[in-house]
Amino acid sequence: MQYIFYLPSDVKIYFDGKYKGIHWHIYSDDRFSGMVYIIEVTINPKILAGITDYLTAANYYDMNIAIINFNDSSKKISSLLGTFNDYRIKRVDYCINICLNDFMPTCDPGQIVNLIKRSDIPSHYKQWMEYDNTAHRMKSRPESFYLCSKSININCYSKYLQLLNSSQENVKKGFTLILPEIIDASRNIIRFEVQCKYHKTYSLNKKAEESGNNCVNKYKDILAPLRCVEIVSSYYEKVIGKGDWYSLPEAVRIIQSKNFNSQKEKRYIDTLKFVSQCRSLAKAKAFYQSNELITFKKTLNELADFNINPVTIPREWNIKHIPNFLRAYFNELMEDFSKFNILNGNLCTVQGYLEYCEKFKHRPI
């Protein structure tokens, strides 16, 4: 007599105790005849590489240790789980931590998030919202500007406000508070995150194949420093823009100093005033259709060429100018690099920046 044993149709594998940055999900796929199982694994490369602090983001070089630990863990459980190289990347989150200390030392995290939330919402994206029982309406997260689409989610948020909320949630669940000194250290950090889902990672995998990478796991292309800088810069510009922020009077002064003809000058100033009145670039854009929308977008592109973000700084802040965060971050990083004063954790970004400039013959933003 022969016995055939099958796995349950849905199995999840976790480690007991503290989260180690890895868990597996094994489930049957009824699209195929017979018993066919899909093995998915979700990893947090930072934790898997042994980095335990709240602020650091993993980089390409951390993957070496993460892969060794991945393979050791899977081998201890079952050879059926394979090695890291046996898995195709289905989702990847790119992110960058921008510390505002050097160009906005007195910033208030809530104000900065409020300014960011006035940015654009590209086509096919929607702002993530949930129902607020107190306000009795849909509201976005107070600490972030979170946009969702079928292929990509974009999240720009205050690390300080996020950790503050996480700490409060820990208390409600009976877990340990996040130490106040850790939260304080994050006060001036803005994280910009691009979460690539299957449709986007499929495209990235195909692009890697076209470049000659025939491995199943194409992390060496998908997570390469150049790719990270390319994707973060592209979506930052798409949502937040490439211009600096100015107060409305200062932006008007700059435009008037350019000596444009009266018609062009009026078009620029009227656009800035309308965006300010709407308190959001996305809301202002929603007013236009057809040819008017084309003209509006043309005006936005021209303002960007003059380094002016159409979103203006609220009058009550009494601030004339705030530099583009990502450009200021890159400039600061490259200045430190030129002085041989770069932290090891930032070398990956420097490499990606230099490779981007070499490949495209211009700066990322």
Side-chain angles (χ1 to χ4, degrees):
M1 186 179 290
Q2 185 179 8
Y3 294 96
I4 299 175
F5 297 97
Y6 293 104
L7 280 169
S9 60
D10 198 307
V11 176
K12 293 180 180 177
I13 303 173
Y14 297 86
F15 287 97
D16 283 337
K18 192 174 181 181
Y19 175 55
K20 295 187 178 181
I22 183 170
H23 69 259
W24 284 267
H25 183 199
I26 306 171
Y27 58 93
S28 62
D29 193 329
D30 55 13
R31 292 176 298 175
F32 304 95
S33 59
M35 292 299 291
V36 175
Y37 288 91
I38 304 294
I39 303 177
E40 289 185 349
V41 60
T42 302
I43 69 168
N44 183 323
K46 180 177 83 170
I47 295 175
L48 197 54
I51 303 167
T52 56
D53 70 88
Y54 284 91
L55 304 182
T56 302
N59 62 47
Y60 181 76
Y61 303 124
D62 295 322
M63 289 302 298
N64 292 327
I65 299 173
I67 291 169
I68 290 169
N69 291 339
F70 179 102
N71 292 339
D72 286 346
S73 297
S74 62
K75 186 178 179 181
K76 289 174 184 175
I77 298 170
S78 171
S79 60
L80 293 175
L81 295 178
T83 68
F84 182 79
N85 289 335
D86 295 323
Y87 290 82
R88 182 182 296 273
I89 293 178
K90 187 177 177 181
R91 156 107 185 217
V92 60
D93 294 357
Y94 300 93
C95 77
I96 193 163
N97 284 339
I98 303 173
C99 184
L100 308 182
N101 284 343
D102 295 317
F103 43 94
M104 275 201 73
T106 59
C107 72
D108 175 81
Q111 284 183 314
I112 295 303
V113 172
N114 178 274
L115 186 65
I116 289 167
K117 282 187 172 187
R118 300 181 182 212
S119 302
D120 197 12
I121 300 177
S123 300
H124 310 299
Y125 285 82
K126 290 185 177 179
Q127 188 172 3
W128 185 92
M129 293 190 177
E130 64 180 351
Y131 187 77
D132 186 293
N133 291 317
T134 304
H136 302 293
R137 61 184 177 88
M138 300 295 287
K139 292 182 71 175
S140 62
R141 291 174 177 168
E143 76 276 11
S144 72
F145 186 48
Y146 193 19
L147 307 179
C148 304
S149 76
K150 288 183 179 179
S151 60
I152 288 176
N153 294 342
I154 300 168
N155 195 10
C156 187
Y157 60 96
S158 161
K159 195 66 184 170
Y160 173 78
L161 295 177
Q162 185 239 352
L163 289 180
L164 207 57
N165 289 345
S166 296
S167 188
Q168 291 166 358
E169 287 297 318
N170 283 357
V171 173
K172 290 178 184 177
K173 295 175 182 177
F175 300 142
T176 308
L177 273 169
I178 298 174
L179 294 174
E181 53 265 35
I182 293 173
I183 296 175
D184 287 342
S186 70
R187 176 173 276 286
N188 288 342
I189 293 177
I190 293 292
R191 174 169 287 187
F192 186 81
E193 199 168 272
V194 182
Q195 303 163 358
C196 297
K197 296 183 279 190
Y198 177 73
H199 288 293
K200 181 63 178 180
T201 56
Y202 179 84
S203 170
L204 292 172
N205 276 299
K206 294 299 287 184
K207 191 177 288 187
E209 276 182 19
E210 291 164 6
S211 299
N213 186 338
N214 295 314
C215 301
V216 173
N217 190 321
K218 297 175 172 54
Y219 86 93
K220 288 186 177 180
D221 278 271
I222 293 175
L223 301 182
L226 170 60
R227 182 75 67 213
C228 295
V229 169
E230 188 178 348
I231 285 179
V232 166
S233 301
S234 170
Y235 286 95
Y236 185 97
E237 183 176 332
K238 191 185 293 274
V239 173
I240 295 174
K242 66 178 184 179
D244 289 359
W245 289 286
Y246 295 93
S247 65
L248 182 56
E250 183 65 10
V252 169
R253 185 195 66 77
I254 292 171
I255 288 168
Q256 290 174 337
S257 71
K258 302 284 186 184
N259 296 319
F260 298 120
N261 64 54
S262 58
Q263 187 178 1
K264 182 177 284 191
E265 180 179 292
K266 183 177 186 304
R267 176 162 58 88
Y268 292 153
I269 293 173
D270 285 350
T271 297
L272 290 172
K273 288 181 176 178
F274 186 60
V275 173
S276 177
Q277 178 186 328
C278 293
R279 300 175 67 84
S280 160
L281 176 54
K283 289 178 182 176
K285 190 174 71 173
F287 274 89
Y288 297 105
Q289 291 181 343
S290 303
N291 289 337
E292 286 187 339
L293 180 59
I294 292 170
T295 302
F296 181 72
K297 288 181 176 179
K298 177 189 174 186
T299 302
L300 298 182
N301 289 331
E302 290 172 2
L303 287 170
D305 290 339
F306 307 136
N307 195 36
I308 297 174
N309 193 312
V311 173
T312 50
I313 303 167
R315 183 190 307 170
E316 60 271 20
W317 290 20
N318 293 317
I319 297 174
K320 284 186 177 182
H321 173 239
I322 297 173
N324 180 292
F325 290 158
L326 188 58
R327 186 189 298 115
Y329 167 79
F330 282 143
N331 289 346
E332 188 71 27
L333 206 61
M334 296 313 296
E335 185 178 339
D336 288 343
F337 179 67
S338 68
K339 296 176 181 176
F340 304 99
N341 187 31
I342 197 78
L343 297 173
N344 286 337
N346 289 328
L347 282 173
C348 194
T349 309
V350 168
Q351 179 185 338
Y353 182 92
L354 292 173
E355 289 177 357
Y356 185 101
C357 294
E358 175 66 24
K359 180 178 180 179
F360 297 105
K361 308 304 179 188
H362 63 81
R363 296 179 180 184
I365 193 166

